[in-house]
Amino acid sequence: MGKVSKLAAALFISFQMIQFAAAQVTAFTYQGQLNAGGAPAAGIYDMQFAVYDAATAGNATSGVLTNTVAVMNNGLFTLTLDFGPGIFPVAARWLEIAVRTN
């Protein structure tokens, strides 16, 4: 393989890596189960999410995602959450969830 071919291959790989890095998103899927009155919840619920840096007396590390509507199916729900970049560094984080009936 000549110098030009090696350079072309290296540029191609670098370009592919840049595309991969640019394509990364901050959204993630959260699945949970909610019980109401000792039974699996049913219907539509408003949910609010926030991220903190400690389990108690922690500081908020994100904005609050409010009024995320979740449809409960036998108490189970799946939502896509996106707090933006930099919310989940190497350090531990805690997710606060508030729920109310819609």
Side-chain angles (χ1 to χ4, degrees):
M1 189 182 258
K3 280 187 173 184
V4 174
S5 297
K6 288 181 183 178
L7 178 62
L11 289 173
F12 177 75
I13 291 170
S14 297
F15 179 70
Q16 293 300 319
M17 291 173 66
I18 290 169
Q19 281 186 321
F20 176 74
Q24 292 178 351
V25 296
T26 57
F28 62 95
T29 301
Y30 182 83
Q31 296 178 318
Q33 181 176 9
L34 179 66
N35 290 328
I44 300 173
Y45 286 78
D46 290 333
M47 302 184 83
Q48 180 175 312
F49 297 87
V51 177
Y52 289 85
D53 62 2
T56 56
N59 298 306
T61 61
S62 73
V64 177
L65 300 179
T66 52
N67 294 333
T68 303
V69 176
V71 177
M72 302 296 159
N73 182 9
N74 198 25
L76 302 174
F77 64 93
T78 301
L79 297 169
T80 300
L81 303 176
D82 190 351
F83 292 99
I87 297 301
F88 298 106
V90 177
R93 294 292 185 250
W94 284 260
L95 183 64
E96 177 184 69
I97 305 170
V99 180
R100 70 176 181 190
T101 57
N102 183 312

